[in-house]
Amino acid sequence: MTFALPLRVALTAPVRSMSRWWPTSIPSQPWRAAALVALVVGFWTPLQAQTATPSATTGPRSVNEWLMRMHEASRQRAYTGTLVVSAGASMSASRIWHVCDGEQQMERVDTLTGAPRTTIRRNNEVITFAPESKTAWVEKRESLGLFPELLRTPSNAIPEFYGVRETGTERVAGYLADVVEIQPKDALRFGFRIWSEKKTGLVVKLQTLGEQGAVLEQVAFSELQLDAPVSMGKLTRLMKDTKGYDVQRPVLKKTTAEAEGWRLKESVPGFLPMSCHTREVPEVPGGGAAPMQWVFSDGLASVSLFVEPFDPQRHAQEKSLITGATHSLSRRLGAYWLTALGEVPTATLRRFAYALERTR
């Protein structure tokens, strides 16, 4: 949902079960968190012209105007900071370096808790170093499914499903910030409370809100240096330095769910299909189809449907899990196993899971 802030310390069981096929498709908590507060890390294409145009009035900003302000803030400056994520009793931290030159965006995220891991991204190129196993994964990603997805949706319908309310100002990491609530208009999605640095618009804190405003997860800078002297050249050299690492290059094939023999018999309001990939694997149990990931977004929230051949040794009965704001639901579909994952209510995942059907 992934602003620039760290993700969950541990992946849920269903996610672990997919690690055989999708070793880096689901980012670790430190990277996701980072991606949340950066919003806007500038890894997304601009909104349609009419959306980006500032309001001619002096009244409150619209939800799109707030999101564009946050997005543009990260595209215009470099910064470093320490990010802390809390979800229930779990807490994690990471260190982030971000730099841009208007077109090129680079970011490094180092975990400070849990297993050591460094992720470096340049536009859609990503490399993740795991020093304990001396393994590095190299991938190209169209998107991490991070907040806000409105910057790459075909049509921006966010105002149809979310409203906005300004609630005042507060200090975060030493900076005065505007506090804005993005409120869902139905029960299919969560809300957000965002702290946007007053002068620049940069997101410095984010809360994901459940029913009655309950805080499901919180991501915030505990320390932040704006306009920091971050070197794009140094990050580029670090990204290329894989000496001593076993470099893995997972092969993704861009496809469509229809081409793979899947469809939703009923759409979920507001969620549009964003991408679909299969991952090339050495061997698929039972000779079934290659594992598939189908991604949907409503502009702010995203849902991934992971479909793989059913394996009785790895897959149990249907179950759902909740970790902070991330919910997952797994079930068997004939010869296949589905895991629906996203920062949305379990009821939303259930609508996806029971609408997915095989067409051949």
Side-chain angles (χ1 to χ4, degrees):
M1 246 240 135
T2 248
F3 304 134
L5 301 144
L7 243 208
R8 294 194 165 56
V9 181
L11 298 178
T12 60
V15 175
R16 287 197 195 94
S17 75
M18 292 183 292
S19 62
R20 179 177 180 181
W21 311 125
W22 308 93
T24 55
S25 294
I26 304 169
S28 64
Q29 178 147 2
W31 171 261
R32 190 177 135 285
L36 282 182
V37 175
L39 202 171
V40 278
V41 190
F43 292 135
W44 301 271
T45 56
L47 288 169
Q48 297 173 355
Q50 65 268 30
T51 303
T53 303
S55 173
T57 69
T58 58
R61 292 184 177 95
S62 68
V63 61
N64 284 345
E65 288 168 343
W66 271 111
L67 293 172
M68 177 52 72
R69 171 175 164 79
M70 297 169 190
H71 170 72
E72 288 300 315
S74 71
R75 290 172 55 86
Q76 301 301 323
R77 53 189 10 93
Y79 55 84
T80 64
T82 301
L83 298 160
V84 178
V85 181
S86 58
S90 299
M91 181 175 291
S92 66
S94 64
R95 183 72 182 169
I96 182 172
W97 294 260
H98 174 79
V99 64
C100 58
D101 62 7
E103 295 182 2
Q104 293 288 322
Q105 301 284 320
M106 288 201 71
E107 192 162 68
R108 171 181 174 176
V109 178
D110 286 2
T111 61
L112 299 179
T113 53
R117 182 164 292 203
T118 295
T119 300
I120 304 175
R121 176 170 179 141
R122 179 177 57 202
N123 296 334
N124 67 342
E125 300 174 39
V126 182
I127 184 167
T128 301
F129 295 92
E132 290 183 340
S133 64
K134 302 301 289 183
T135 304
W137 290 274
V138 177
E139 292 186 279
K140 287 192 175 182
R141 300 179 186 169
E142 291 184 2
S143 168
L144 287 177
L146 302 176
F147 186 99
E149 279 290 326
L150 86 164
L151 301 176
R152 58 186 293 268
T153 47
S155 61
N156 177 28
I158 287 180
E160 182 179 349
F161 299 99
Y162 295 91
V164 66
R165 182 169 72 98
E166 303 171 29
T167 63
T169 57
E170 293 181 10
R171 290 181 74 237
V172 176
Y175 294 90
L176 192 63
D178 293 309
V179 185
V180 180
E181 289 189 1
I182 297 180
Q183 303 164 320
K185 295 183 178 180
D186 59 27
L188 294 175
R189 54 211 96 228
F190 293 137
F192 303 93
R193 185 178 294 122
I194 306 169
W195 284 253
S196 173
E197 200 273 322
K198 202 166 185 66
K199 292 182 180 180
T200 66
L202 189 73
V203 175
V204 293
K205 181 177 177 179
L206 167 74
Q207 292 177 340
T208 305
L209 309 177
E211 293 183 1
Q212 299 179 339
V215 178
L216 303 177
E217 181 173 295
Q218 177 170 282
V219 185
F221 282 104
S222 62
E223 173 272 326
L224 174 67
Q225 181 184 354
L226 292 175
D227 300 318
V230 182
S231 169
M232 187 172 287
K234 183 177 180 180
L235 290 183
T236 300
R237 289 192 294 274
L238 290 172
M239 192 173 191
K240 295 179 179 179
D241 186 9
T242 58
K243 185 178 180 180
Y245 279 81
D246 176 20
V247 180
Q248 302 289 320
R249 300 179 183 274
V251 179
L252 291 180
K253 174 188 173 185
K254 191 170 184 178
T255 183
T256 65
E258 291 78 10
E260 300 304 316
W262 296 96
R263 70 165 187 149
L264 290 184
K265 54 188 175 184
E266 292 182 1
S267 62
V268 180
F271 286 90
L272 300 176
M274 303 301 298
S275 65
C276 187
H277 291 86
T278 56
R279 184 178 290 275
E280 188 176 291
V281 294
E283 171 181 341
V284 177
M292 180 188 78
Q293 180 185 13
W294 193 9
V295 180
F296 296 80
S297 175
D298 70 355
L300 296 183
S302 63
V303 171
S304 285
L305 302 181
F306 295 89
V307 182
E308 58 181 308
F310 177 72
D311 182 349
Q313 294 184 339
R314 294 190 301 121
H315 300 142
Q317 296 179 339
E318 175 180 332
K319 56 185 172 182
S320 60
L321 291 175
I322 300 173
T323 307
T326 297
H327 293 206
S328 66
L329 173 67
S330 300
R331 67 183 298 249
R332 183 175 179 178
L333 291 174
Y336 297 88
W337 184 255
L338 164 69
T339 298
L341 178 77
E343 288 198 334
V344 295
T346 300
T348 306
L349 295 182
R350 194 168 295 278
R351 290 185 64 159
F352 274 101
Y354 283 86
L356 184 69
E357 65 178 7
R358 190 73 175 153
T359 58
R360 63 169 186 261

